[in-house]
Amino acid sequence: MIAIVGGGASGTLAAIYLLHEAASRRTPLRVALIDRHGRHGLGQAYSTTHPAHLLNSPAATMSALAGDPEHLTRWAAEAGLAHDGFLPRRSYGRYLSESLAAAERSAGPAARVSRITGDVVAIRRCSHRPLRLHLAADGRIDADAVVLASGNLPPAAPFPVPPDRYIADPWEPGALDAATDGSPVAVLGTGLSMLDVAIALTDAHPRTVVHAISRHALLPREHSSPRPAAGVSAMPAIRATSGTLRLSRLIREVRASTAARPDGWQEVVDALRPQIPGLWAQLPEADQRLFLAHVARYWEVHRHRVPPATARRAAALSSAGRLSVHRGRVVAASDQHGCVRLRLDRGRSTATELAVGWLVNCTGPASDITGTADPLLRHLLEAGLARPDRLRLGLDTDPRGVLRGADGRPAGDIFALGPLLRGSRYETTAIPEIRGQAAALARHLLAGRSAVRPGSAA
Ligand SMILES: Cc1cc2nc3c(=O)[nH]c(=O)nc-3n(C[C@H](O)[C@H](O)[C@H](O)COP(=O)(O)OP(=O)(O)OC[C@H]3O[C@@H](n4cnc5c(N)ncnc54)[C@H](O)[C@@H]3O)c2cc1C
């Protein structure tokens, strides 16, 4: 039995690749796919039902199957879904769920997946089975191996917040419902999630206005129309000399490639992206920290781009006065007679005050896993089954994704994939990276399993 904790894109892709691997080896397999919200196949990103919440990457790059890049676009055509290259995220959730069901059909009955709705709060080693997972509602699941696919850390509140008017994570089920009463809303952060929240809230009530706030007021750039392949990579492979790479050299090389293609910076960013996990591992820790402190915000707005339709919606909301972007740092928030009063420090210009009905946190995943309130992650860290990576962005693993315990040794039977690997790979949250990790993990987990002899029990 392999237990996967988290039924989002990472857990679902892991289950799909495990089924494919089991089918090709003709080996029996049982997988438990456990999700605390029952959002199997959907997770945080793909459970939205709003039709204007689009994929931020072209469908052509989002196939679940690395060996079949047109799998998603073919599925969309067969499902009769018209699109301009960017599918609604809810359709992608349906695609992942159907891809899992198809993998089950082709691997079954010897290989099966049970979808379990439950909150895993602890993992313990016990004598008769290597691992026992404890659920919040008193259930237990025994497993030979566990794959942690629990996703991003929830955003952390950057200052004391008024609890009754604060939405800590817009992607929790039903999180935005209260904020659809027509009162003004402040959103912390000016990235992709802010745009989705602004679209959802202004659609839900005709009077709602949204104030988006971030220190640099940087908005995600827009995707350009696809252009014909140039024939040579927009970003040649960067090789470190004697195993070490410096951030300054990386920035120089990216600038040179961008200068050589003044109209094609998008191609440079896209060509650099698959190299990032390898390059990140070669940067000294000091340079990784420098990148996080000063460069990451510029990389993110160029790397995570919006589809043209989303850019048009945002422009229309701005010109209608329903979306304003503010540069500044919120230094205080107080609840005054049912409204939130925010004080913004805007550097050299004068401080500003904003009065809103709701405050939504879209600042992205928390940057220190040791401060997490998540019961399972806290338990793993406290029990010494896991340790933070050196930047504390996620968990420390070996190159195969095996969790390292408090003593630094890989345990061998607990694995992680997706956003939990941010510290060691940096680019690890999007589908192309996750499907690569899921495929490698499935091969590793089923390596050495023998085929079932004809006539033997599954
Ligand atoms: C709004 C948004 C848009 C995105 N758009 C794109 C895009 O266009 N293209 C792209 O490539 N990537 C996109 N991404 C990034 C990427 O696809 C997601 O980050 C990816 O879906 C991560 O999936 P995950 O399964 O690791 O995490 P999640 O989707 O968060 O799933 C984790 C699941 O685990 C469950 N869970 C956590 N802990 C436990 C526990 N202890 N017990 C049981 N269940 C647990 C959670 O409830 C959750 O359902 C987007 C991300 C977001 C947030």
Side-chain angles (χ1 to χ4, degrees):
M1 161 75 88
I2 296 175
I4 302 176
V5 181
S10 300
T12 303
L13 287 169
I16 290 172
Y17 279 95
L18 281 167
L19 290 168
H20 287 178
E21 198 62 28
S24 74
R25 292 172 182 271
R26 293 190 296 122
T27 184
L29 175 70
R30 285 188 59 210
V31 175
L33 184 61
I34 312 160
D35 193 89
R36 64 158 69 108
H37 296 305
R39 302 194 296 196
H40 303 93
L42 309 173
Q44 184 194 48
Y46 308 113
S47 51
T48 174
T49 54
H50 198 293
H53 285 168
L54 304 177
L55 289 180
N56 300 309
S57 321
T61 63
M62 295 277 293
S63 168
L65 308 180
D68 184 0
E70 285 161 21
H71 188 251
L72 169 61
T73 47
R74 253 190 349 262
W75 172 88
E78 281 161 19
L81 297 172
H83 61 93
D84 62 355
F86 296 90
L87 282 164
R89 290 212 300 278
R90 63 181 185 180
S91 303
Y92 193 74
R94 196 180 126 200
Y95 163 71
L96 282 181
S97 307
E98 289 186 15
S99 298
L100 177 59
E104 281 179 281
R105 281 194 299 278
S106 57
R112 291 184 280 135
V113 174
S114 314
R115 292 162 184 72
I116 295 166
T117 297
D119 193 355
V120 180
V121 290
I123 299 173
R124 298 210 164 83
R125 294 189 190 285
C126 50
S127 49
H128 65 291
R129 281 273 195 159
L131 299 163
R132 173 164 285 178
L133 286 75
H134 295 258
L135 304 182
D138 242 13
R140 292 165 183 181
I141 296 166
D142 288 341
D144 304 300
V146 172
V147 176
L148 290 176
S150 54
N152 283 307
L153 302 178
F159 45 82
V161 288
D164 295 342
R165 301 249 135 210
Y166 174 65
I167 296 169
D169 183 350
W171 303 121
E172 281 290 294
L176 294 175
D177 292 354
T180 57
D181 57 2
S183 53
V185 178
V187 177
L188 300 175
T190 54
L192 295 169
S193 289
M194 177 281 286
L195 292 175
D196 282 344
V197 166
I199 289 170
L201 292 181
T202 51
D203 269 358
H205 198 289
R207 274 206 319 273
T208 299
V209 294
V210 172
H211 298 275
I213 308 160
S214 71
R215 284 186 196 196
H216 299 268
L218 290 172
L219 289 166
R221 303 302 193 260
E222 186 181 336
H223 275 285
S224 58
S225 323
R227 44 183 92 218
V232 286
S233 171
M235 183 76 227
I238 300 171
R239 297 193 202 295
T241 38
S242 58
T244 310
L245 179 72
R246 298 311 305 253
L247 182 62
S248 50
R249 184 181 145 214
L250 190 51
I251 292 173
R252 253 195 334 270
E253 299 222 11
V254 172
R255 282 202 175 129
S257 294
T258 315
R261 280 172 193 258
D263 300 327
W265 62 263
Q266 291 94 336
E267 292 160 49
V268 175
V269 169
D270 293 348
L272 180 61
R273 192 176 135 195
Q275 300 188 45
I276 296 287
L279 296 172
W280 183 252
Q282 294 170 50
L283 284 178
E285 184 181 335
D287 284 22
Q288 292 178 336
R289 291 187 187 281
L290 208 61
F291 174 87
L292 293 173
H294 301 292
V295 186
R297 64 179 75 100
Y298 299 100
W299 169 251
E300 301 298 336
V301 293
H302 291 87
R303 142 85 179 82
H304 298 280
R305 303 195 287 276
V306 279
T310 308
R312 284 196 297 276
R313 284 292 302 270
L317 288 173
S318 297
S319 48
R322 301 187 70 197
L323 171 62
S324 318
V325 177
H326 305 262
R327 192 179 56 76
R329 192 167 61 92
V330 179
V331 286
S334 55
D335 188 342
Q336 289 184 4
H337 316 297
C339 101
V340 187
R341 201 161 280 280
L342 298 174
R343 198 171 154 71
L344 258 72
D345 177 354
R346 289 151 56 94
R348 283 195 208 117
S349 50
T350 47
T352 311
E353 292 221 335
L354 267 179
V356 292
W358 298 95
L359 180 61
V360 185
N361 192 341
C362 290
T363 54
S367 54
D368 183 353
I369 197 168
T370 62
T372 185
D374 181 275
L376 176 60
L377 293 175
R378 288 216 65 78
H379 155 80
L380 291 171
L381 293 169
E382 281 161 16
L385 289 173
R387 69 175 189 182
D389 63 64
R390 58 189 186 173
L391 300 170
R392 297 184 173 184
L393 296 176
L395 295 177
D396 192 16
T397 65
D398 79 358
R400 294 163 305 169
V402 183
L403 230 58
R404 289 186 195 278
D407 58 3
R409 285 212 300 267
D413 49 9
I414 310 182
F415 301 78
L417 86 163
L420 283 173
L421 305 184
R422 242 177 103 216
S424 56
R425 307 192 182 191
Y426 194 71
E427 281 295 339
T428 181
T429 59
I431 297 299
E433 287 82 18
I434 296 172
R435 74 180 169 218
Q437 292 170 20
L441 190 56
R443 280 194 301 274
H444 174 74
L445 280 168
L446 297 194
R449 289 224 189 172
S450 52
V452 198
R453 282 193 311 277
S456 67

